[in-house]
Amino acid sequence: MEYISAKTIVTKTKNTQWFGTDYNMNIYKGCSHGCIYCDSRSECYGIYDFDRVRAKENALQIIRDELRKKVKTGVIGTGAMSDPYNPFEKKMLLTRHALELVNAFEFGVAIATKSDLITRDVDVLTDIKRHSPLIVKMTVTTWEDKLCKIIEPNVALTKERFAALKCLSDKEIFSGILLMPVLPFIEDSQDNVLKIVRLARENGARFIYPAFGVTLRQNQRVHYYQKLDEHFPGIKDKYIKKYGSSYRCASPRARELWSLFQSECDRLGLLYKMQDIIKAYKMGYKDRQLSFF
C-alpha cells in the first residue's frame, strides 16, 4: 500500500442536500473497483492513476484531531470519491477505525459503498445509530450478476450486495439502494428497474434513489467509450449520435422508467425522494438531543 500526505480529511460539505451530510471524509484515494462508468476518474478531480488505491498518511490521527476540534457535530459522508471498503480495507481496517472515532465523538455517518465488507462493521454502526443519524447507501445498477461483472468487474456481485443489505436491515440499520448510474442502452430496461426495486424490498431496503442515465466528461468519457467498444460493440455510436459531447446523458426512456419506478416504490412502501429519505433516517435524533440539554 502506498501512502500519500494529507493536511485535512474531514471537510465541510458543499451540498448538505445530498443525503443531509454536514462533512465529507475520504481516507483512501483512487479505487480498484474498475467500474467502466466512474465519474471520479474525470480530470477535474485531479486523481491521476485512478485505478491504484492509496491511503492517506496518518489518516486516523488527522481524523481524531479534526473531530475533536469540530464545534458542531453532524453527519459525515464517506464513499463519494473512493469506496471506503476497497479490498485493502479488509486488512488495513482504516475505515473501521475511522468509524470507531466517529462513534467516540458522537457524529453520525452516511456511507456509500459497493462492497459487502461493510457487514464486518455492523457492531460499530449499531453503536453509532444509538446516538446519531446513520444511513448506508449500497450502489446497485443491474440485477444480473453476469452484466455486473462486465460493468463493475472488481466489485461484489449484485447478489452479494443484496445479501449485505439484508444483513444491515436485519440489524435495523437504515439502508437502501443508490440506483445510479442506469446506463442508457444497457441497463435502462423496465425489467432491470423493476427487478432491482423488488429485490431491494425483499432484502429490507428502506429507500431507493435513482438516476436514469450517466454523466460523461473528459478522460472519463474516453475510458467509458473504450469499454463500450470492448464489451458492447455498436453502443458507442448510439451515445455519440444521441448525446454528442453533453455532460448529462439521460436515458431516452427516463420519463417512462421514472413513472414505472415511482409506482412500484409507492406500491412496496419504499422511499425515493431525497427529502423523505433524509427526514426518515434523521427522525428523532434532533428531539433527543434537545431533550438531553
Side-chain angles (χ1 to χ4, degrees):
M1 170 60 69
E2 178 185 348
Y3 288 87
I4 56 175
S5 61
K7 294 182 179 180
T8 183
I9 294 178
V10 184
T11 59
K12 190 71 175 174
T13 187
K14 296 179 180 179
N15 182 13
T16 59
Q17 298 305 309
W18 183 252
F19 288 97
T21 57
D22 303 288
Y23 303 97
N24 290 319
M25 177 178 71
N26 287 299
I27 304 167
Y28 296 96
K29 192 171 186 177
C31 187
S32 60
H33 286 343
C35 303
I36 68 172
Y37 52 73
C38 186
D39 177 68
S40 295
R41 68 174 67 248
S42 300
E43 290 176 3
C44 61
Y45 297 117
I47 306 176
Y48 303 104
D49 199 4
F50 179 77
D51 297 291
R52 182 162 53 95
V53 177
R54 289 140 287 177
K56 294 181 180 178
E57 197 170 25
N58 300 318
L60 298 176
Q61 180 180 338
I62 294 171
I63 293 169
R64 181 198 63 193
D65 292 343
E66 290 184 327
L67 293 182
R68 179 185 294 163
K69 295 175 183 177
K70 299 295 183 189
V71 175
K72 183 180 179 181
T73 58
V75 176
I76 300 173
T78 187
M81 296 297 297
S82 180
D83 197 311
Y85 289 99
N86 62 71
F88 299 98
E89 169 60 21
K90 192 169 185 178
K91 290 185 177 180
M92 295 194 68
L93 303 174
L94 292 179
T95 295
R96 178 176 176 85
H97 293 325
L99 290 175
E100 290 171 343
L101 289 169
V102 169
N103 183 35
F105 287 96
E106 297 198 348
F107 282 72
V109 69
I111 302 172
T113 186
K114 295 176 183 172
S115 174
D116 56 351
L117 181 58
I118 190 173
T119 59
R120 178 200 65 187
D121 296 338
V122 162
D123 57 331
V124 185
L125 298 177
T126 300
D127 280 345
I128 293 173
K129 183 171 69 76
R130 292 192 177 103
H131 56 72
S132 299
L134 168 69
I135 184 172
V136 174
K137 301 162 282 176
M138 184 70 71
T139 299
V140 174
T141 68
T142 174
W143 70 273
E144 296 181 87
D145 287 340
K146 184 178 179 180
L147 181 57
C148 166
K149 287 300 294 181
I150 295 173
I151 63 176
E152 301 158 344
N154 305 321
V155 184
L157 293 173
T158 297
K159 64 181 178 183
E160 295 169 337
R161 281 179 257 176
F162 275 120
L165 184 66
K166 182 68 165 59
C167 175
L168 295 169
S169 65
D170 285 348
K171 296 295 183 180
E172 299 184 353
I173 292 172
F174 192 99
S175 50
I177 298 294
L178 284 180
L179 179 53
M180 60 176 69
V182 176
L183 303 178
F185 312 115
I186 299 173
E187 298 174 318
D188 56 343
S189 68
Q190 290 189 7
D191 180 65
N192 187 48
V193 171
L194 284 177
K195 284 186 176 178
I196 290 175
V197 172
R198 291 166 186 171
L199 283 167
R201 181 66 181 85
E202 289 172 13
N203 289 281
R206 297 287 302 278
F207 68 90
I208 305 182
Y209 192 72
F212 299 116
V214 65
T215 57
L216 295 176
R217 58 183 161 190
Q218 303 159 331
N219 56 315
Q220 176 215 3
R221 182 191 300 275
V222 174
H223 178 83
Y224 182 61
Y225 281 176
Q226 288 173 346
K227 293 300 180 180
L228 290 184
D229 281 341
E230 181 180 345
H231 299 292
F232 307 98
I235 295 295
K236 181 184 75 174
D237 294 336
K238 291 186 177 182
Y239 273 78
I240 294 172
K241 181 178 180 180
K242 175 69 177 177
Y243 306 113
S245 59
S246 297
Y247 168 60
R248 299 185 184 279
C249 306
S251 165
R253 308 179 68 184
R255 289 188 179 182
E256 168 197 339
L257 292 175
W258 172 255
S259 179
L260 184 75
F261 168 83
Q262 187 179 33
S263 296
E264 191 67 358
C265 286
D266 287 339
R267 186 179 74 83
L268 296 175
L270 288 165
L271 303 174
Y272 53 87
K273 295 179 181 178
M274 182 62 74
Q275 63 269 28
D276 293 338
I277 297 169
I278 294 172
K279 181 179 179 181
Y281 92 86
K282 290 190 174 185
M283 186 176 296
Y285 287 103
K286 183 181 292 187
D287 294 338
R288 190 178 306 165
Q289 188 176 32
L290 288 173
S291 65
F292 171 78
F293 286 111

